Amino acid sequence: MATPVTLSGRGVILVGQTSVEVELCLPDCARRTEFLVQGVHVGPEIVIGGTSIDVVNLPRWGVSVPVYELHPSAALQVALTALGQGAEHISATIPAGQSIGPISGAATLPVHITLLGGTPATHRFEFNVHVTGVCGTPFVCPPIATAAKPRAARGKKGARKKAARKA
């Protein structure tokens, strides 16, 4: 089994902003494997930069990690998200792991943190971001088989017509 890896970074939402994107450095995975996200944990910073004074003013917020459901000819984003109600840490997990899809060839994973409700920040808010995962083979949905349409069963009316033609 692959060894889990944790990617960590810090994001800052400045006064007047509503969101920040944190770019986490992706590990190098073996050929035909990619980093599969298993979880995200985000919490407000309370030590560095004196943000413990302002963290009590943190409104509702959320985090979104781009993960994808893979199909033979497409990738559909079904982001891993978590929502917070103020000064609290939030987390979400996908135990088996999920593909980072189209961005798997990139060097970084963009994690988006946003204040909910569209109101800009009235204070500076810093967040510590931790994303866990493993290098593995992503699941790809098998193609849908297109079977020939089954012939409609003939009812009594069809049987009578057939009998009438023979007569």
Side-chain angles (χ1 to χ4, degrees), residues 43-55:
E45 173 58 62
I46 60 168
V47 177
I48 298 172
T51 55
S52 62
I53 296 168
D54 296 330
V55 76

Side-chain angles (χ1 to χ4, degrees), residues 16-91:
Q17 295 179 334
T18 57
S19 66
V20 65
E21 192 167 281
V22 179
E23 296 284 336
L24 301 179
C25 188
L26 286 169
D28 287 330
C29 293
R31 189 172 173 215
R32 295 191 178 158
T33 67
E34 68 177 63
F35 184 70
L36 303 177
V37 172
Q38 293 181 312
V40 61
H41 180 92
V42 181
E45 173 58 62
I46 60 168
V47 177
I48 298 172
T51 55
S52 62
I53 296 168
D54 296 330
V55 76
V56 295
N57 298 301
L58 183 61
R60 292 177 298 156
W61 61 286
V63 63
S64 179
V65 180
V67 294
Y68 294 82
E69 177 182 51
L70 302 180
H71 295 269
S73 61
L76 305 172
Q77 187 173 8
V78 287
L80 175 60
T81 60
L83 304 176
Q85 295 295 321
E88 64 182 7
H89 67 85
I90 57 177
S91 59

Side-chain angles (χ1 to χ4, degrees), residues 107-128:
T108 60
L109 176 68
V111 177
H112 192 78
I113 301 171
T114 189
L115 301 179
L116 304 177
T119 305
T122 56
H123 297 79
R124 174 187 169 102
F125 301 116
E126 293 190 35
F127 300 88
N128 295 317

